[in-house]
Amino acid sequence: MKLKDPGLLREAAFVAGAWRPVRNDGATVSNPANGERVGEQPMLALAEVEQAIESAHAAFGAWREHTGKERAAVLRRWADLVMANADDLAWIMTAEQGKPLAEARGEIAYAASFLEWFGEEAKRGYGHTIPEPRRGQRIKVIKEPLGVCAAITPWNFPSAMVTRKVAPAIAAGCTVLLKPAPQTPFSALALCVLAERAGLPQGVLSVLTGEARMIGEAFCESHLIRKISFTGSTAVGKSLMANAAGTLKKLSLELGGNAPFIVFDDADVEAAVAGAKASKFRNAGQTCVCVNRFFVQRGIHDAFVARLKAAVADLRVGDGYAEGTTIGPLVNHAAVEKVERLVMQAIDAGATADLVVRAPAGGSFYAPTVLTGVQPSMQISREEIFGPVAAITRFDTEDEVIRLANATRYGLAAYVYTQNMRRGHRIERELEYGIIGVNEGLISTEVAPFGGVKESGFGKEGSFYGLDEYLDSKYICHGGVA
Ligand code: SIN
């Protein structure tokens, strides 16, 4: 692999402060664009996972004693190292995840932004003083780190979802056990190499590769782990919640979505198309906040569809390393089959597909598709597509579209395009979602709280809300104060 620093590609897990190489237990990671082998990750045994949990527990006592400023310094160095090694980290990400190199570089900057932001927030774990109800008392609330936390991260953002969970935990004074997705372990392991170089003490972070169910169950059952943060499917989130009930853990669950993108007749059509393209086709449609359902008002429908098709025609599907590629492969062939099934069902039920761009043969590519005449009853409107398909439904009235947009069990992100700001303010209150973009298709940033409602989960990531997820509030009452 073309790396300036080959030491960043580690075919080893990081357990209790030591690198544990592949022995006779390696599982191969392949590039979804061509099936080529990227490397082998160890499949850790339960005893090794337990050893990592013990070491995180042992390291917690010392790490929590570091001041916020000291923790901030480590996170700052880590952020700088990530940016200094951005080319290599992007290269590793494209190899295992498939996204175009430029998009991978963008994700590395996004990942570093969480390290930088939470480094700054490490100094701000503010508590409160509360006016006493009785004379002679003093009441204060102090913030304390939760303890050992576990993070389970997805393959679609192999670096940014790691730092979005690990950075606030470390900033708060917690220690962390990270289980990256089996498809994309090397991005997480490369970040861990840099964390070690940044001076993160032994045991504060372990990166555990191996069988997802076994590691997840070990996390859930451990009395030493106080919290699990998970990004992934709603089905797995529910099962983690059930399994974590036995030890009453805190959870942050960032789960599936079914994002509506509403375009009113009075929208700026160019802005709406730019937002639609950015939100729908980012990461080949494989983000939890990607548009899943377009609702376009009758008067602007044809103009919007024509402009969107023209914009989609500029996309280039291919190997993430190839010059000019804007859409990489889907994560695997099963993902392609799922998208194909949803599109075929929609066509059978009366929708019309426009294939504006071709996808290369081989690999797990899927050609960006614009689908019109989609009905809310179709499966494609109810299931998360997680692929580059824009499914468009026509609507007539504001009341109708609010009802349609909210008619889902999910509630992560929603988008609205209108130039009537009174309507914008009205709709943002009506939509049952955790994140709303009004005339904006790209809502992800380290400074704002990312998270959903309903079956999209709970808990916030990013922003000062994100730090609070890793802190407990301790109430202290002093009596006999003169
Ligand atoms: C996700 O898909 O889970 C995260 C997307 C983002 O941070 O924008």
Side-chain angles (χ1 to χ4, degrees):
M1 199 179 283
K2 209 174 93 180
L3 296 179
K4 290 180 221 156
D5 179 352
L8 288 175
L9 185 74
R10 276 302 156 98
E11 292 177 276
F14 193 62
V15 181
W19 289 97
R20 152 52 169 105
V22 173
R23 294 185 191 131
N24 53 359
D25 58 355
T28 303
V29 174
S30 331
N31 183 333
N34 50 30
E36 278 173 18
R37 178 188 176 282
V38 180
E40 302 253 307
Q41 59 185 319
M43 298 298 280
L44 295 179
L46 176 60
E48 293 170 305
V49 174
E50 286 170 348
Q51 183 197 350
I53 297 174
E54 298 278 349
S55 90
H57 181 61
F60 174 60
W63 185 239
R64 67 171 293 173
E65 289 308 321
H66 283 63
T67 64
K69 192 172 164 140
E70 287 164 346
R71 292 196 290 266
V74 177
L75 286 165
R76 175 80 243 181
R77 282 197 296 276
W78 191 6
D80 290 344
L81 284 169
V82 167
M83 289 314 291
N85 290 278
D87 288 346
D88 279 356
L89 295 174
W91 194 272
I92 291 172
M93 191 189 302
T94 295
E96 62 182 358
Q97 203 274 347
K99 67 178 67 177
L101 208 43
E103 201 171 342
R105 277 205 197 90
E107 185 185 331
I108 295 303
Y110 185 36
S113 76
F114 290 108
L115 298 173
E116 183 190 58
W117 171 270
F118 284 110
E120 289 157 356
E121 286 298 291
K123 304 169 195 164
R124 300 190 190 102
Y126 301 135
H128 284 96
T129 57
I130 296 178
E132 59 280 2
R134 284 185 283 278
R135 251 180 288 286
Q137 288 185 331
R138 290 286 181 278
I139 292 181
K140 62 184 178 187
V141 178
I142 59 168
K143 294 283 183 172
E144 294 189 332
L146 294 181
V148 180
C149 297
I152 305 178
T153 52
W155 50 262
N156 60 346
F157 288 88
S159 296
M161 297 305 101
V162 167
T163 56
R164 190 156 84 181
K165 295 181 190 306
V166 171
I170 285 178
C174 300
T175 54
V176 189
L177 301 149
L178 167 67
K179 194 206 85 59
Q183 298 87 343
T184 57
F186 296 119
S187 294
L189 291 162
L191 288 173
C192 183
V193 172
L194 297 176
E196 213 187 354
R197 290 183 193 168
L200 195 67
Q202 274 206 341
V204 173
L205 174 66
S206 283
V207 183
L208 309 176
T209 56
E211 215 259 298
R213 180 178 289 272
M214 180 273 283
I215 297 178
E217 284 176 5
F219 286 170
C220 287
E221 284 162 19
S222 169
H223 287 276
L224 299 181
I225 296 178
R226 293 284 317 282
K227 176 189 173 101
I228 300 178
S229 176
F230 168 71
T231 295
S233 73
T234 293
V236 174
K238 285 181 182 178
S239 117
L240 277 171
M241 191 165 171
N243 291 342
T247 51
L248 275 186
K249 279 186 213 327
K250 280 189 179 239
L251 292 168
S252 286
L253 299 176
E254 203 266 272
L255 309 175
N258 186 1
F261 188 105
I262 303 169
V263 186
F264 284 101
D265 281 348
D266 58 19
D268 172 339
V269 74
E270 295 305 337
V273 167
K277 189 178 172 189
S279 169
K280 177 68 244 186
F281 296 100
R282 177 173 171 234
N283 201 18
Q286 302 172 110
T287 88
C288 303
V289 289
C290 273
V291 182
N292 213 55
R293 299 169 293 156
F294 284 92
F295 295 109
V296 186
Q297 206 165 14
R298 191 166 297 276
I300 201 171
H301 178 273
D302 293 354
F304 176 82
V305 170
R307 299 282 227 295
L308 184 65
K309 282 186 196 165
V312 171
D314 288 341
L315 296 171
R316 290 287 163 266
V317 187
D319 188 310
Y321 291 127
E323 191 69 31
T325 295
T326 48
I327 299 260
L330 299 191
V331 63
N332 53 33
H333 291 288
V336 175
E337 280 161 22
K338 176 195 157 180
V339 179
E340 272 168 2
R341 167 179 60 79
L342 290 173
V343 170
M344 290 320 294
Q345 281 174 350
I347 293 170
D348 285 349
T352 306
D354 257 299
L355 252 181
V356 225
V357 187
R358 297 240 160 269
S364 49
F365 297 105
Y366 193 89
T369 304
V370 177
L371 208 52
T372 46
V374 172
Q375 296 304 317
S377 56
M378 293 176 182
Q379 193 58 23
I380 200 161
S381 303
R382 305 213 307 249
E383 208 175 304
E384 197 171 25
I385 305 170
F386 242 57
V389 178
I392 302 177
T393 301
R394 205 188 289 254
F395 75 92
D396 288 300
T397 68
E398 192 176 307
D399 286 349
E400 176 195 4
V401 80
I402 291 170
R403 188 176 40 76
L404 290 173
N406 286 339
T408 167
R409 286 185 285 133
Y410 298 101
L412 185 54
Y415 308 87
V416 186
Y417 276 76
T418 174
Q419 295 192 78
N420 174 348
M421 284 321 285
R422 286 182 66 191
R423 168 182 270 158
H425 288 300
R426 206 162 50 233
I427 304 268
E428 73 193 28
R429 288 170 63 91
E430 296 290 339
L431 289 172
E432 297 164 357
Y433 289 82
I435 306 169
I436 315 272
V438 182
N439 297 320
E440 179 58 66
L442 284 177
I443 39 65
S444 303
T445 161
E446 76 280 12
V447 307
F450 190 103
V453 297
K454 294 160 80 178
E455 292 198 17
S456 290
F458 46 79
K460 301 293 176 198
E461 297 193 309
S463 81
F464 62 87
Y465 296 98
L467 185 72
D468 211 48
E469 298 276 339
Y470 293 90
L471 293 167
D472 266 332
S473 297
K474 182 181 274 179
Y475 151 52
I476 302 162
C477 182
H478 290 262
V481 179

